Amino acid sequence: MDCNCPAPTALTAIGLLTCGVDMNQVQRLAFQRIGTSFDGVTYDITDIADWQTLMSAVDDTKIVVTPLIGGDPVIEAGEAITNGGGDNSTLNGVEEVTGVNPSAFSCFFNSLPSSIEKAMKALICEPNLRVFFFLQGGKIACSEVTAPDYEGFLLSGQPFVSDRNNAGYGTKDTVNMSFSLAEGWSDNLAIIDGLTWNPLTDL
């Protein structure tokens, strides 16, 4: 959130809500190092062949895709960063909003083979990542640069992948995953629909 001077000459117009936008359930994740986008020329986000090319890459453009999420995929919006409020640290004791904390994503995966668990843990050492969300219904949530240029949502820091949870008889082993999304991650949210392929099953 940038509140630096100069202030706009008028309040920013808020458009009429004619059609709501909901991501619904996040069901799979795709990670990529920052620096590459689906620009609509070199790579087209709607073209499965371009996704497969990036998944096969051996450089910074490579995309890695997780298995289907086992459950509890949640994004919790970051709380306000404030200064003062009811004390002598600000004029008239007014609370000042100075920013927004990162948003927190978390989920778990079921019954992962150790090879996949270990490969996902390698993401912990990657501090400069973006993430694409594959949604129920085979849609892709991403950040729109300028259509048809899209990229993943920027992470704030590295993701975390836990060791294996085991609850015993009659249960499935789980592995937890969490990461923070940078402030303003959803400001340019785009949901890519109408694909002729399904990112939940075809990648």
Side-chain angles (χ1 to χ4, degrees), residues 113-135:
S114 59
S115 59
I116 294 178
E117 177 186 342
K118 187 174 182 179
M120 288 175 59
K121 285 178 178 177
L123 292 170
I124 296 174
C125 300
E126 296 285 344
N128 300 302
L129 292 176
R130 292 186 178 273
V131 63
F132 296 88
F133 294 127
F134 296 166
L135 311 177

Side-chain angles (χ1 to χ4, degrees), residues 71-96:
D72 289 344
V74 175
I75 302 172
E76 295 185 4
E79 298 289 339
I81 301 171
T82 61
N83 177 47
D87 59 27
N88 199 45
S89 64
T90 58
L91 185 64
N92 294 323
V94 174
E95 182 179 78
E96 300 172 342

Side-chain angles (χ1 to χ4, degrees), residues 139-152:
K139 303 174 184 179
I140 301 173
C142 55
S143 183
E144 181 177 324
V145 181
T146 303
D149 191 352
Y150 303 95
E151 60 190 8

Side-chain angles (χ1 to χ4, degrees), residues 5-201:
C5 294
T9 55
L11 292 177
T12 301
I14 301 174
L16 294 174
L17 175 60
T18 57
C19 184
V21 176
D22 296 294
M23 290 172 55
N24 296 314
Q25 190 178 56
V26 177
Q27 297 187 340
R28 205 175 181 197
L29 308 170
F31 294 93
Q32 186 179 39
R33 289 175 177 164
I34 62 173
T36 304
S37 68
F38 286 89
D39 58 9
V41 180
T42 306
Y43 302 112
D44 183 344
I45 198 168
T46 66
D47 190 341
I48 188 174
D50 287 343
W51 281 89
Q52 292 169 333
T53 295
L54 290 169
M55 290 174 66
S56 300
V58 293
D59 56 17
D60 283 345
T61 66
K62 185 176 182 65
I63 286 178
V64 294
V65 181
T66 70
L68 289 171
I69 292 171
D72 289 344
V74 175
I75 302 172
E76 295 185 4
E79 298 289 339
I81 301 171
T82 61
N83 177 47
D87 59 27
N88 199 45
S89 64
T90 58
L91 185 64
N92 294 323
V94 174
E95 182 179 78
E96 300 172 342
V97 177
T98 60
V100 182
N101 280 302
S103 297
F105 174 88
S106 60
C107 69
F108 68 82
F109 296 87
N110 287 326
S111 308
L112 294 183
S114 59
S115 59
I116 294 178
E117 177 186 342
K118 187 174 182 179
M120 288 175 59
K121 285 178 178 177
L123 292 170
I124 296 174
C125 300
E126 296 285 344
N128 300 302
L129 292 176
R130 292 186 178 273
V131 63
F132 296 88
F133 294 127
F134 296 166
L135 311 177
Q136 67 181 84
K139 303 174 184 179
I140 301 173
C142 55
S143 183
E144 181 177 324
V145 181
T146 303
D149 191 352
Y150 303 95
E151 60 190 8
F153 302 109
L154 182 64
L155 269 64
S156 178
Q158 299 115 294
F160 169 73
V161 179
S162 76
D163 289 331
R164 180 176 301 259
N165 301 294
N166 176 268
Y169 180 80
T171 65
K172 294 182 178 181
D173 290 358
T174 61
V175 171
N176 302 323
M177 186 175 202
S178 60
F179 51 82
S180 294
L181 294 161
E183 172 195 346
W185 73 270
S186 58
D187 286 355
N188 298 302
L189 170 67
I191 297 179
I192 309 300
D193 196 3
L195 300 172
T196 58
W197 52 281
N198 190 336
L200 298 174
T201 57

